[in-house]
């Protein structure tokens, strides 16, 4: 009995020690650098406006048709739906009572003003890389906006994900706060591009896969992944031959970010929204810096998702392509200028996951309207005209022609995409 009692006491002490360790590491903070003195407040606000655009803050904090940055935008995840909070300077419902240190704490350490742990749908695992000067500029810009009194909507998360205490465990595993540091062996342009990609641009939030607990995997190499809750695939941003940027130049990347289209591809879906609200406002130098950095990322493995199309499927797809697609995209799949992009070597076409190509055929392709391309050409939807078998055939054909070597598409895949779009 004495031995059993000692064992229970020891086990209890060990559990307490583990709990305290979990609490310490799960709630730890990195103070980071001190605020930087500002000599020109108006210039700081303008810098903050640019950071807000780069970080695309409006996407999660402005509901369609609502007041700017007043919150309410639904953010679907596999754990439930979160809602972007009000970040206008209203003291009761926004960040009007927050100090610059409070704001820095949220961006850098993923904690609210009262110390509550924030859900990582707010991309603080990437924002932690931001400099204190940029965080303070963003704070100054948001504080300069009109205050909007709008109550924040409660998150609708399933149990047990609605228990914030579990975030302590998540943070121990997946969150390491720390400001970006330049690599002395690289150029200033490369370092600037890396900072924009890994910090305020938070590209890994979409272009890296997520594990079962919602943490990004292999974020540094940006190998691509499905965008949680949206049903689109974000392609690799590294040197993958078929699905990545191996055939692109840094200037090509810059043009896509600012205009929404290149001869290689046209942005659709969530990326079109990012370009509309964010990257079209990049300076030429920053857009090129991002391209320069991305072009140095090594290729990652992108295994074929399935088998190549059969000869019969390719024959059926070829007929449909000639009837519906060749007039714009040309018989050889090379397209015409940037208005009708090439399908040969197009990373949206050859991606490991065919969902983007399927959705564009079903629902049409509508590139973003930007300062460089204010009246972009669009592709009409074919979902009402073509059956699931037809869509599978024509998408399989373009994924397997003109040097493309992606896997075939099946009718059930098309049906799932069609059903998901109708929800």
């Amino acid at each position: 009995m004495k031995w059993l009692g000692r064992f229970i006491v020891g086990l209890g002490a060990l559990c307490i020690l583990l709990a305290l360790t979990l609490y310490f590491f799960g709630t730890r903070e990195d103070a980071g650098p001190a605020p930087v003195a500002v000599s020109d407040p108006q210039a700081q606000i303008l810098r903050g406006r640019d950071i807000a655009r780069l970080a695309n803050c409006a996407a999660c904090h402005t509901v369609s048709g609502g007041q700017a940055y007043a919150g309410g935008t639904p953010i679907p995840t596999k754990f439930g739906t979160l809602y972007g909070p009000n970040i206008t300077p209203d003291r009761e419902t926004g960040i009007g009572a927050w100090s610059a240190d409070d704001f820095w704490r949220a961006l850098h350490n993923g904690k609210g003003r009262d110390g509550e742990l924030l859900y990582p749908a707010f991309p603080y695992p990437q924002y932690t890389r931001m400099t204190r000067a940029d965080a303070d500029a963003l704070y100054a810009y948001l504080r300069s906006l009109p205050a909007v009194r709008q109550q924040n909507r409660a998150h609708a998360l399933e149990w047990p994900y609605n228990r914030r205490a579990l975030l302590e465990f998540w943070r121990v595993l997946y969150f390491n706060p720390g400001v970006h540091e330049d690599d002395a062996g690289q150029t200033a342009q490369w370092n600037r591009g890396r900072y924009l990609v890994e910090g305020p641009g938070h590209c890994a939030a979409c272009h890296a896969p997520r594990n079962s607990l919602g943490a990004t995997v292999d974020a540094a190499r940006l190998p691509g992944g499905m965008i949680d809750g949206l049903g689109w695939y974000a392609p690799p941003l590294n040197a993958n031959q078929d699905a990545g940027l191996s055939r692109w130049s840094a200037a090509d990347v810059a043009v896509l970010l600012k205009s929404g289209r290149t001869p290689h591809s046209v942005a659709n879906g969530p990326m079109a929204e990012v370009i509309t609200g964010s990257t079209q406002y990049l300076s030429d130098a920053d857009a090129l810096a991002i391209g320069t950095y991305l072009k140095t990322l090594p290729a990652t493995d992108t295994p074929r998702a399935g088998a190549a199309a059969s000869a019969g499927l390719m024959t059926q797809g070829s007929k449909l392509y000639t009837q519906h697609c060749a007039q714009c995209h040309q018989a050889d799949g090379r397209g015409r200028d940037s208005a009708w992009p090439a399908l040969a070597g197009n990373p949206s076409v050859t991606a490991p996951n065919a969902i983007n190509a399927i959705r564009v055929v079903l629902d049409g392709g509508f590139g973003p309207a930007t300062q460089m391309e204010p009246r972009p050409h669009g592709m009409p939807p074919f979902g009402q005209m073509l059956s699931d078998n037809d869509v599978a055939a024509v998408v399989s054909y373009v994924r397997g022609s003109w040097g493309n070597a992606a896997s075939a598409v099946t009718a059930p895949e098309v049906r799932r995409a069609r059903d998901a779009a109708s929800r």
Side-chain angles (χ1 to χ4, degrees), residues 295-317:
K295 284 294 296 178
T296 67
L297 295 180
T300 53
D301 293 333
T302 52
R304 184 189 291 273
S310 66
L313 191 62
M314 290 294 284
T315 298
Q316 179 188 1

Side-chain angles (χ1 to χ4, degrees), residues 14 150 231 280 387:
L14 179 61
Q150 178 170 293
Q280 69 162 315
S387 69

Side-chain angles (χ1 to χ4, degrees), residues 236-248:
L237 297 183
N238 54 43
N240 284 356
Q241 180 65 33
D242 294 319
L245 301 176
S246 66
R247 305 179 188 182
W248 296 49

Side-chain angles (χ1 to χ4, degrees), residues 54 129-131 134 179-201 285-286 288-297:
L54 173 61
R129 313 262 305 160
M130 289 174 61
T131 64
D134 278 352
V179 176
H180 165 87
E181 295 183 2
D182 282 351
D183 184 337
Q186 297 287 348
T187 65
Q189 183 185 53
W190 185 94
N191 279 302
R192 176 64 174 170
R194 181 186 179 192
Y195 171 71
L196 296 174
V197 166
E198 294 187 347
D286 278 352
L288 189 59
I290 290 174
T292 299
Y293 171 68
L294 293 179
K295 284 294 296 178
T296 67
L297 295 180

Side-chain angles (χ1 to χ4, degrees), residues 369-408:
T370 62
Q371 298 170 106
M372 291 179 65
E373 291 281 353
R375 294 183 179 85
H377 290 270
M379 172 178 156
F382 289 89
Q384 297 299 318
M385 184 183 306
L386 301 178
S387 69
D388 293 346
N389 286 327
D390 288 340
V391 173
V394 73
V395 174
S396 295
Y397 175 74
V398 299
R399 281 169 61 83
S401 299
W402 319 298
N404 294 344
S407 58

Side-chain angles (χ1 to χ4, degrees), residues 135-160:
D136 287 350
L138 179 57
Y139 171 76
Y141 169 68
L142 294 174
R143 296 273 295 184
S144 74
L145 299 174
V148 179
R149 179 154 298 191
Q150 178 170 293
Q151 290 293 336
N152 292 309
R153 187 170 176 179
H155 301 317
L157 295 174
E158 300 174 1
W159 187 89

